[in-house]
Amino acid sequence: MVVATIAAYFFLVAFAAVLVAFPAYRSRVTALFWGALDAGAAPAQRFARGTWDALLASGRALSQGRRRVVAYVAGNRLLVSLTSVAFLLPTLVAWWFGGLSLFSFSDADQQLAVDRQIALLLEGEQLVPPAPLPPEAFTTREVEMVRPDAAYASRDWLRLDDEFRQRLLVAFKLMKERHGYEMVLIEGYRSPERQAQLAAQGSHVTHAGAYRSYHQYGLAADSAFLKDGRIVISERDPWAMRGYALYGEVAEQLGLTWGGRWRLLDYGHVELRRAGVLGRAPE
């Protein structure tokens, strides 16, 4: 729509410049216009043919030589200046009001806008954790098939690191506002004892032993989706898989590490990595 509007504007400016620059053509156009109004369609057809012929004649006249063009410009400086301003006017207006943003659609500009939005959210008012779901919401057949011990997991938001908690809440907020997915925390803080129990179940559950997971430091969380009052966690659900992919994008924009890129895929997992944290006892 914007491109069509700009093209129409330039066409009108060019047509007006031709009318001003060629008095004979202007008189002919005027006569044909009034004739069309008086007599109907036939003069309109002649007008179209005459316009085409006149444009061809104008093109031949302009191509006769550089000297004639230069002489014409020198003798009509005011007309040339006004025409140039008319052609440049849209660009000048866009630059004045938006720094050429009207014509800027690059990925870098879009990413900059996203980064600004996220920065404002992180620097703004501290978000409040959502109300907890009833315990039975985590004991459904679907949840138990994926995380059979989810009923024993901690979902206490206050046990999470303050910075990580805010980033996770912003991720939940963006997922709902941008993509329509309501997120739910499955597990946040995890004790060293629970981590050791999970590691003992095998590498298909986790590769990390006690004090080797960011869960022990309140810097990791496992999440899923809430749809029609039930938790959707299964990776066999196409709707959930699309949500996990979007969740990974949002989390990475917030500086979090997403488990969906690991060798042992963990789509609902995100963590805030810090140097020198793993391996030491939490304070």
Side-chain angles (χ1 to χ4, degrees):
M1 184 64 181
V2 174
V3 175
T5 302
I6 295 174
Y9 174 82
F10 284 134
F11 175 79
L12 291 175
V13 170
F15 185 69
V18 170
L19 292 179
V20 174
F22 301 97
Y25 179 66
R26 182 174 65 249
S27 299
R28 185 174 181 180
V29 169
T30 302
L32 288 173
F33 175 75
W34 290 115
L37 291 180
D38 292 338
Q45 296 175 355
R46 292 196 299 271
F47 168 75
R49 289 195 298 269
T51 300
W52 177 252
D53 294 340
L55 288 175
L56 291 177
S58 299
R60 288 192 296 269
L62 291 175
S63 63
Q64 287 180 357
R66 180 174 178 274
R67 181 180 302 176
R68 184 174 179 180
V69 173
V70 172
Y72 177 82
V73 171
N76 297 271
R77 292 179 178 177
L78 179 60
L79 172 63
V80 173
S81 299
L82 292 176
T83 303
S84 301
V85 170
F87 272 106
L88 293 174
L89 186 59
T91 303
L92 294 174
V93 171
W95 174 81
W96 180 263
F97 287 101
L100 293 177
S101 60
L102 179 62
F103 306 102
S104 179
F105 302 99
S106 68
D107 292 339
D109 292 334
Q110 293 177 0
Q111 184 60 46
L112 181 60
V114 170
D115 293 342
R116 288 176 178 172
Q117 180 191 15
I118 290 175
L120 290 174
L121 287 172
L122 291 175
E123 295 173 1
E125 182 180 358
Q126 298 293 290
L127 299 178
V128 178
L133 295 176
E136 55 268 23
F138 300 91
T139 58
T140 63
R141 177 179 176 82
E142 179 178 355
V143 175
E144 289 185 344
M145 288 182 62
V146 180
R147 293 185 178 271
D149 54 355
Y152 306 101
S154 171
R155 286 174 281 276
D156 186 354
W157 285 85
L158 296 181
R159 301 203 67 175
L160 297 178
D161 175 87
D162 291 343
E163 181 184 356
F164 174 67
R165 179 172 60 249
Q166 284 304 306
R167 289 177 185 257
L168 186 63
L169 287 171
V170 170
F172 279 25
K173 178 181 176 67
L174 292 176
M175 282 295 294
K176 186 172 184 179
E177 293 181 352
R178 287 184 182 176
H179 308 298
Y181 281 86
E182 186 171 357
M183 306 291 298
V184 59
L185 179 64
I186 300 296
E187 182 170 12
Y189 170 78
R190 183 184 296 161
S191 68
E193 294 76 18
R194 175 170 167 77
Q195 186 68 43
Q197 291 173 359
L198 293 175
Q201 295 179 20
S203 58
H204 65 285
V205 177
T206 180
H207 290 292
Y211 299 116
R212 302 306 302 176
S213 168
Y214 283 100
H215 278 286
Q216 273 86 83
Y217 308 92
L219 291 169
D222 299 322
S223 305
F225 309 102
L226 191 63
K227 182 179 183 182
D228 299 329
R230 68 180 181 89
I231 295 176
V232 180
I233 192 174
S234 174
E235 296 172 4
R236 297 181 179 180
D237 188 320
W239 177 84
M241 283 306 299
R242 171 168 169 74
Y244 283 129
L246 295 171
Y247 181 52
E249 292 178 4
V250 171
E252 290 176 342
Q253 289 172 350
L254 289 163
L256 302 175
T257 298
W258 177 47
R261 298 194 186 279
W262 296 348
R263 180 175 298 179
L264 178 61
L265 297 174
D266 195 353
Y267 292 107
H269 178 96
V270 296
E271 60 188 33
L272 179 60
R273 294 185 172 181
R274 288 179 181 164
V277 169
L278 295 180
R280 63 176 178 80
E283 298 177 358

